[in-house]
Amino acid sequence: MESFDVAIIGAGVVGCAVARRLTLDGARVVIVEKALDVLDGASKGNSAILHTGFDAPPGSLEHKCIAAGYKEYHEIAGRLGLPILRSGALVLAWDLEQLANLPDLVDKAHRNGVADVRMLSVEEIQSREPYLAEGVCGGFEVPGESLIDPWTTAHAYVLQAILNGAELWRGTEVLDGRLTAGAWTLETGKGELRAKRVINCAGLYGDLIDQRLLGRADFSITPRKGQFVVFDKAASDLVSAILLPVPTKTTKGIVICRTIFGNVLVGPTAEDQPSRVDASTARETLMALHDRGKKILPALADCEVTATYAGLRPASQFQDYQITMHEEGTYVSVGAIRSTGLSAALGIASHVADLIGTRDFADDPIAEPLIPEPNRLSAYHARDWQVSGYSSIVCHCELVTDREIEAALSGPMPPATLDGLKRRTRVTMGRCQGFHCTAELARITAGRLRRPIVCGDA
Amino acid sequence: MPEQIATKENVTVAVVGGGTAGLALASELMRLKVGKVVVLEREAEAGGVPRHCGHYPFGLREYARLMKGPDYAKRNREAAAALGVDIRTGTTVTKLHPGGELGLSASAGTTTLSADRVVLCTGVRESSRAERFIGGDRPDGIVSTGALQSMVYLEGIRPFRQPIILGSELVSFSAIQTCQHLGIRPVAMIEEMDRLIARRPLGLYLLVKSMPLYTGITNPRIIGRERVEAMNFIDRTGQAKRIAADGVIVSGRFRPESALMRDGHLEVDPGTGGPVIDQFGRCSDPAYFAAGNLLRPAETSGFCRQEGIETARRVAHDLERGSTVDQGVVRIRTADPALRFVVPQRIDLSGATGGMTHLYLGLNGPVRGTMAATAGAETLWKGRLNTQPVRRTRIPLDGIVRAAPAQDVVVGRRA
Ligand SMILES: Cc1cc2nc3c(=O)[nH]c(=O)nc-3n(C[C@H](O)[C@H](O)[C@H](O)COP(=O)(O)OP(=O)(O)OC[C@H]3O[C@@H](n4cnc5c(N)ncnc54)[C@H](O)[C@@H]3O)c2cc1C
Ligand SMILES: Cc1cc2nc3c(=O)[nH]c(=O)nc-3n(C[C@H](O)[C@H](O)[C@H](O)COP(=O)(O)OP(=O)(O)OC[C@H]3O[C@@H](n4cnc5c(N)ncnc54)[C@H](O)[C@@H]3O)c2cc1C
C-alpha cells in the first residue's frame, strides 16, 4: 500500500492550491479526485474575479484567506506565467436607497484594509464607462479587483505540485477511511492508501466526506447555482471595470465584467438547490440575465451571445468558511468555500499549512521548486498563434493552434475529456461553439481522451 | 544588430475567405486583369462550406450539373488556380485595419498585408445552442449541421447514433442526408416556429421516413450528464415531452461570420449581423467590399457565386475609376416588425452604374400584402408580396436609386 504524508481529497481550485503549498513545504502528497479530470466541481464555472476582499465580513476567516490569497497571487503570478487583468471594479448605485448604502460599504472596505477604495462622482463613472445606461446615481471604485484565468490558475497550482513530487490520482473516488495507529487508511476506487494526514477539499461533497470519514459533519452543503450569459468579444469594448451592484443581505447580485479571454459575462444568479450535480441552465433565467445586461449596457443588445453556463457554489448554513481540525490534527476539513474560493485558494492553503505544521513531513521545504509552464490563454497577453511554427489554427474563433492542443494532450496532466481540453486550450469556447473545429478535434483526440468526443465506432 | 525594415507586401485585391464567393470573385478579377489578387483562406484547403458538404445539391446553376459539395468546391478551386489566383491557405486574417491593411497569422508567423481593395467573403455559420438560449445540461454530443458534415464526410466519424434535430430549415434536411451516410438515424425533428421552415414537400419527406416532426414547441432543454440522453420540450398542445436521443443537431439560423468586422472599424448591421454595404457591396470604409453569405443569412452556393462575380466587376470598376463613395450616401431602413433586414443598407448616389439591381429583404414572419419603399412623403416603389421567412425575397432597387432620394428610404408594409 502506498503511503503519503498528506492525502488531499478533491482537485478543485482549493485542493490544487493546498497540494502545491504542502508539496513545496516538503510533504509527500497525493491528490485523490473522483472525476476524470481536475476542476470538475464548483471550480468548473465561476466569474473568474480575483477579489481584494473589500466586501468580505471584517474579521472573518474568509476575509483573512482572500486577503492572503490575493497577495500571494500577485507574488507568484509572474513566475507561473499567470495573467492578471487589473480592470478594477465599480460598485454602482441606481437609486437613492442604494446610494445611501455606499458610505458604509466604503467604510467596510477600508476596515478590510483595502485602502484605495474611494467614492466617484457620476461624471467620473460616466467618463470611465461611456456605454453605461443612464440613471446611475453614484458609486465607488475598487481599483484592485482583477480578472484572471480560473482554470489555468488551478492547473498551474496542481502542475507545480506534480512537478515537485506530488501524485494526482484522477478518476479515483474516496469511498471510506479510518484512523489507525496515528495514520489514515483511505479506501478509494483504486484500492487503499495510507496517509498521516487527510485534507478534505471535496467542495460540494465536503460534508459527505466528513460524514464518511469522521462519522459526523459540522456543516451541511446546500449547492447554490449561478447561471451566466457570455457575450462575444466585440462586447469587451463596452465595459472596462467589473460592474457590481450594491449588494443586498442575501446576494452580491449580478455582475457585468469582461473575462480575461476577451468576452463579457453577465451573472451569476443565486439559486439554492438540493442537487450537487445539476448545473443546468434555464432559458427564462438566461433571457432575464440577457435583459439585465442590456439594461446596464444598452449596446449589448447588438452583441452576440457566445456561451451560457452555470456553476454550483458549495454554500452551507454558515456565512464563513468552515476550516476545522479533527482527530488530533490528523484531519482538516476545508468546507463551505462558497463564492470566493478562486481568490482565497492560496490563502486557504497557507492557513491549512499553518494549522497542521510541517514537523512530520518527509522532506524539508523545497528551496527552488520547479516551475510549470501552463499555456497562456489571455486575450490581453501574447498567444500561441502569434508565434511562428504552428502548422494550423484548429479553433478559429479562439485562435487555438494545433501546437497548443498537442502540448495539452501530451503534457504532464493531459485532459481526459473535451471539457478538460477546452479548459486547457479554449477550443470550441468561442462564438461558433464548435461549428468549425469539432470534426478536426475529434480526429486529433481520437484514442487520447478517456471520454472520447464521439461515442460511435465508425 | 542592423535595424530590420519590414518590407510590407502590397497587392491589388485581397479576398478574405476562399469559399464559393471568394473563389468566384477572385477568378473574375483575374479575368478582368485588375492586377495582383490573393485569396486568404484559413483552412488547409480552399472551397469553403461546400468542401464539408458531401451531399447534393450544388452546381446546378453554374455548371448545369448536380454535384456534391466537395466536387463543386474542387472545381471552383481549380478554376481559380488555373486563372492564376494566388490562393494562400492556412492563412488566418486576424485584424482589419482602416484603408485595406490586414493582420495575418500563418505558420510562418504574423504579418501584415496591404491591399488597394479588400473583399470580405467569410461566409456564415449556424447559430449555436447558446445563441438560441437552449437550456439544460451541457453534455458532449451537441453539434451543428456544419460540424456534423465535417465529421461524417471529412473524417468518417459517427458522433452519435440516434440524434434529435433542432430546426426545420433546408439545412436541417441536409443533416438528415448527412446522417444517412453513416447509418445514423435521427429520432425526430423539432422546431420552435409554428411551422416547418423549409418548403412543404420536405414535410412529406419526413412522413415517408416516418420521422416525427414537432413544430411550435417551447422551452427545449437538453438532458444528459456526460452525453446527451434526451431532449425535453413543451409541445404545441402544452404537453411536456421527452424524446430519448444520444445527440442533438442544432441546425440552421445562419449568422454571418463577422467577428473581424465587429472587432474592427467597419460598421455592422444588427439586422443581418454582417457589414453595412451600399449597392456596390462597399463597406463603411471604401477600401473594403463584401460578398457572399457574409452579407445576409443565408443563400445557396449558386447565388453566392453569382454575387461574387458581380462584386468582382464592381471592385474592378472602383479600382479603375476611384472610389465614388464621398458623393452622398442615403440609408435604407425598415420600420416594420415583419422585416428583419434589408441589403444593401445604404445607396451611393454618385450616379455610378452597375450596382445591385435588387434590395434583399430578410423577414421575421410571413408577409402577405403591399410593401412600399418611401422617402419622406414620396413613394419610390410599391408592390405586392406573398412570402415567408428564410425564402429569397427581393424588390427592385434600380428605381429607388434612380429617384435619388434626398433622405433615408424606409421599407415596410402598407396598411
Ligand atoms: C457561480 C459562481 C461564481 C463564482 N465566482 C467567483 C469569483 O469570481 N471569484 C472567486 O474567487 N470565487 C468565485 N466562485 C467560488 C469558487 O468557484 C469556489 O469557491 C471554488 O471553486 C471552490 O473550490 P473547491 O475546491 O472548494 O471545490 P470543488 O471545485 O467542488 O472541488 C472539490 C473536488 O472534490 C472532488 N470530490 C468530491 N467528492 C470526492 C470523493 N469522494 N473522492 C474524491 N474526490 C471527490 C470533486 O469531484 C471536486 O473536483 C464562484 C463560484 C460560483 C459557483
Ligand atoms: C451546413 C451547411 C450546408 C449547406 N448546404 C448547401 C447545399 O446543399 N446547397 C447549396 O447550394 N448551399 C448550401 N449551403 C450554403 C453554401 O455553403 C453557401 O451558400 C456558400 O458556401 C457561401 O459561400 P461563401 O463564400 O459566402 O462562404 P463559405 O463557403 O462559407 O466560405 C467562407 C470562407 O471564408 C473562410 N474564412 C472565414 N474567416 C476567415 C478569416 N478570418 N481568415 C481567412 N479565411 C476565413 C472560411 O474558412 C471559408 O472557407 C450550406 C451551408 C451550410 C453552412
Side-chain angles (χ1 to χ4, degrees):
Chain A
M1 193 190 320
E2 282 203 76
S3 108
F4 301 87
D5 291 330
V6 179
I8 293 166
I9 305 174
V13 66
V14 173
C16 292
V18 173
R20 170 182 173 275
R21 172 78 277 138
L22 300 181
T23 302
L24 299 188
D25 283 350
R28 212 170 115 54
V29 169
V30 62
I31 312 142
V32 188
E33 168 54 56
K34 72 173 176 184
L36 288 177
D37 199 1
V38 303
L39 308 186
D40 198 49
S43 308
K44 180 154 54 176
N46 56 44
S47 322
I49 299 171
L50 183 66
H51 295 297
T52 53
F54 80 93
D55 58 349
S60 62
L61 179 58
E62 181 182 21
H63 175 258
K64 180 191 149 186
C65 293
I66 297 175
Y70 183 85
K71 183 161 169 284
E72 189 177 348
Y73 196 87
H74 282 84
E75 285 161 14
I76 68 171
R79 237 175 306 147
L80 293 184
L82 295 174
I84 302 176
L85 178 61
R86 193 181 156 96
S87 60
L90 297 180
V91 176
L92 300 177
W94 295 92
D95 62 34
L96 294 177
E97 198 185 325
Q98 293 174 0
L99 189 65
N101 283 331
L102 296 183
D104 281 352
L105 294 168
V106 172
D107 184 54
K108 182 173 168 187
H110 292 161
R111 276 187 288 142
N112 276 332
V114 188
D116 56 359
V117 169
R118 64 175 191 101
M119 294 288 281
L120 296 180
S121 69
V122 170
E123 293 69 37
E124 276 176 296
I125 294 168
Q126 285 168 342
S127 78
R128 287 188 194 193
E129 302 291 347
Y131 293 96
L132 205 60
E134 307 225 321
V136 73
C137 308
F140 62 86
E141 66 163 337
V142 191
E145 293 278 300
S146 301
L147 299 164
I148 60 175
D149 173 344
W151 303 302
T152 306
T153 291
H155 290 152
Y157 301 161
V158 70
L159 280 170
Q160 191 167 32
I162 294 169
L163 266 184
N164 290 284
E167 283 189 28
L168 170 63
W169 295 9
R170 289 183 288 177
T172 312
E173 183 172 357
V174 172
L175 302 166
D176 206 348
R178 57 191 182 275
L179 181 64
T180 46
W184 284 89
T185 303
L186 293 188
E187 205 180 290
T188 79
K190 291 198 180 143
E192 295 193 330
L193 66 87
R194 289 277 285 174
K196 291 183 204 154
R197 296 169 194 276
V198 168
I199 320 284
N200 169 10
C201 300
L204 294 160
Y205 295 82
D207 54 343
L208 298 186
I209 290 288
D210 280 0
Q211 282 288 357
R212 271 185 209 173
L213 272 64
L214 302 173
R216 61 173 194 283
D218 299 335
F219 62 93
S220 65
I221 295 287
T222 303
R224 186 167 299 158
K225 184 188 283 182
Q227 302 188 44
F228 293 92
V229 170
V230 182
F231 287 86
D232 196 27
K233 308 210 165 180
S236 67
D237 292 341
L238 302 179
V239 55
S240 167
I242 299 161
L243 305 181
L244 303 167
V246 174
T248 66
K249 278 200 184 64
T250 48
T251 160
K252 285 195 185 185
I254 306 293
V255 178
I256 300 181
C257 64
R258 290 182 285 168
T259 71
I260 202 149
F261 311 115
N263 301 87
V264 168
L265 152 170
V266 180
T269 54
E271 308 159 55
D272 286 345
Q273 63 177 39
S275 170
R276 297 172 200 251
V277 290
D278 175 6
S280 62
T281 53
R283 171 176 277 184
E284 61 277 15
T285 313
L286 299 174
M287 294 180 78
L289 285 171
H290 194 249
D291 286 344
R292 169 85 195 185
K294 289 185 286 189
K295 216 169 138 201
I296 308 284
L297 293 176
L300 281 179
D302 292 335
C303 294
E304 298 186 312
V305 169
T306 291
T308 59
Y309 67 96
L312 301 178
R313 306 173 187 85
S316 78
Q317 69 271 46
F318 302 107
Q319 225 200 2
D320 206 352
Y321 294 172
Q322 300 298 304
I323 305 182
T324 49
M325 287 233 279
H326 304 268
E327 314 297 326
E328 270 130 44
T330 59
Y331 184 104
V332 182
S333 177
V334 183
I337 313 300
R338 185 180 58 183
S339 54
T340 47
L342 175 65
S343 312
L346 294 169
I348 293 170
S350 292
H351 180 72
V352 169
D354 290 346
L355 279 181
I356 65 175
T358 57
R359 317 178 282 298
D360 51 4
F361 288 171
D363 298 302
D364 292 333
I366 302 175
E368 290 200 22
L370 299 173
I371 292 169
E373 287 175 3
N375 197 357
R376 202 206 293 260
L377 303 173
S378 163
Y380 297 92
H381 298 77
R383 289 276 311 271
D384 192 63
W385 63 265
Q386 289 160 312
V387 181
S388 64
Y390 67 81
S391 32
S392 66
I393 288 178
V394 176
C395 169
H396 296 296
C397 301
E398 295 293 312
L399 297 174
V400 184
T401 68
D402 60 331
R403 180 170 57 189
E404 289 176 281
I405 295 169
E406 189 51 43
L409 288 171
S410 56
M413 188 178 62
T417 61
L418 176 59
D419 280 342
L421 185 64
K422 288 181 184 181
R423 293 195 285 263
R424 284 166 181 75
T425 61
R426 292 201 58 72
V427 288
T428 78
M429 305 270 266
R431 59 190 76 87
C432 90
Q433 296 276 298
F435 175 87
H436 294 296
C437 69
T438 304
E440 203 173 340
L441 283 174
R443 177 172 57 74
I444 296 172
T445 59
R448 302 177 77 180
L449 297 177
R450 290 278 302 277
R451 198 170 88 216
I453 292 182
V454 296
C455 69
D457 24 34
Chain B
M1 205 166 73
E3 201 177 312
Q4 291 259 320
I5 299 166
T7 47
K8 211 165 54 189
E9 190 184 356
N10 233 299
V11 299
T12 315
V13 181
V15 179
V16 183
T20 306
L23 289 174
L25 187 136
S27 302
E28 183 67 11
L29 286 172
M30 291 311 284
R31 283 190 205 98
L32 296 170
K33 303 195 191 332
V34 299
K36 176 134 185 73
V37 179
V38 300
V39 171
L40 307 164
E41 170 55 51
R42 64 190 183 183
E43 292 201 44
E45 206 167 25
V49 164
R51 200 168 73 82
H52 301 257
C53 304
H55 57 68
Y56 307 104
F58 287 91
L60 215 46
R61 173 170 170 170
E62 49 275 46
Y63 299 120
R65 265 185 56 197
L66 195 57
M67 300 167 89
K68 287 187 180 177
D71 302 327
Y72 171 80
K74 182 160 179 260
R75 185 137 176 192
N76 292 340
R77 197 163 59 228
E78 287 173 355
L83 285 159
V85 176
D86 178 358
I87 303 176
R88 301 188 191 167
T89 56
T91 304
T92 303
V93 177
T94 56
K95 191 80 192 168
L96 310 180
H97 298 287
E101 190 169 295
L102 304 175
L104 309 182
S105 175
S107 178
T110 54
T111 47
T112 55
L113 174 76
S114 204
D116 297 343
R117 298 291 183 276
V118 175
V119 191
L120 304 168
C121 301
T122 51
V124 283
R125 60 179 164 77
E126 293 164 284
S127 55
S128 71
R129 171 218 182 146
E131 283 163 318
R132 306 170 198 223
F133 296 114
I134 309 287
D137 300 320
R138 293 184 11 122
D140 288 353
I142 306 167
V143 303
S144 59
T145 317
L148 175 72
Q149 292 185 330
S150 311
M151 282 198 241
V152 167
Y153 295 121
L154 291 188
E155 313 285 354
I157 288 169
R158 175 160 53 189
F160 32 54
R161 291 162 177 286
Q162 297 185 310
I164 189 162
I165 298 175
L166 183 60
S168 66
E169 298 174 33
L170 197 55
V171 66
S172 318
F173 288 84
S174 296
I176 301 179
Q177 246 188 306
T178 307
C179 283
Q180 283 166 350
H181 188 73
L182 285 185
I184 301 166
R185 293 175 189 281
V187 290
M189 180 177 274
I190 62 175
E191 169 60 57
E192 295 199 56
M193 304 276 259
D194 60 10
R195 28 164 217 93
L196 188 73
I197 305 297
R199 285 186 185 270
R200 206 153 300 137
L202 286 168
L204 290 174
Y205 176 85
L206 292 179
L207 270 181
V208 172
K209 295 266 164 200
S210 62
M211 187 185 306
L213 166 71
Y214 298 88
T215 55
I217 65 122
T218 53
N219 204 18
R221 276 177 74 81
I222 295 172
I223 309 299
R225 270 290 109 71
E226 296 189 347
R227 298 207 53 92
V228 173
E229 290 159 26
M231 186 103 198
N232 287 357
F233 57 88
I234 311 289
D235 76 9
R236 62 160 68 241
T237 70
Q239 279 226 324
K241 279 263 175 206
R242 179 189 186 91
I243 295 185
D246 63 355
V248 180
I249 302 171
V250 181
S251 71
R253 297 212 197 167
F254 289 104
R255 52 200 320 144
E257 190 66 272
S258 58
L260 277 174
M261 286 127 259
R262 292 171 182 275
D263 179 40
H265 64 296
L266 296 181
E267 188 183 351
V268 172
D269 174 12
T272 57
V276 168
I277 56 158
D278 67 14
Q279 77 271 32
F280 300 103
R282 195 188 282 121
C283 302
S284 58
D285 173 346
Y288 286 84
F289 283 71
N293 268 341
L294 170 65
L295 295 181
R296 96 261 91 196
E299 264 295 347
T300 62
S301 223
F303 186 97
C304 292
R305 186 171 185 279
Q306 187 55 33
E307 192 168 66
I309 293 169
E310 287 168 13
T311 306
R313 293 176 190 150
R314 291 169 194 142
V315 171
H317 201 254
D318 194 60
L319 280 165
E320 202 175 298
R321 299 273 176 91
S323 190
T324 55
V325 79
D326 297 334
Q327 318 280 331
V329 164
V330 160
R331 298 224 163 219
I332 309 184
R333 297 186 284 114
T334 67
D336 184 333
L339 294 185
R340 213 169 111 210
F341 61 76
V342 297
V343 180
Q345 299 87 346
R346 314 188 309 167
I347 41 178
D348 165 51
L349 297 177
S350 63
T353 53
M356 298 172 183
T357 53
H358 287 86
L359 189 66
Y360 195 107
L361 304 184
L363 308 184
N364 283 319
V367 169
R368 190 168 298 152
T370 304
M371 185 71 75
T374 52
E378 200 186 342
T379 298
L380 308 178
W381 177 85
K382 199 169 76 175
R384 284 192 63 78
L385 285 183
N386 180 2
T387 182
Q388 307 268 5
V390 199
R391 303 267 161 86
R392 184 179 300 162
T393 304
R394 296 187 290 178
I395 65 173
L397 182 62
D398 354 19
I400 298 176
V401 173
R402 238 178 294 119
Q407 48 184 310
D408 286 4
V409 177
V410 179
V411 182
R413 277 170 303 185
R414 268 287 155 79

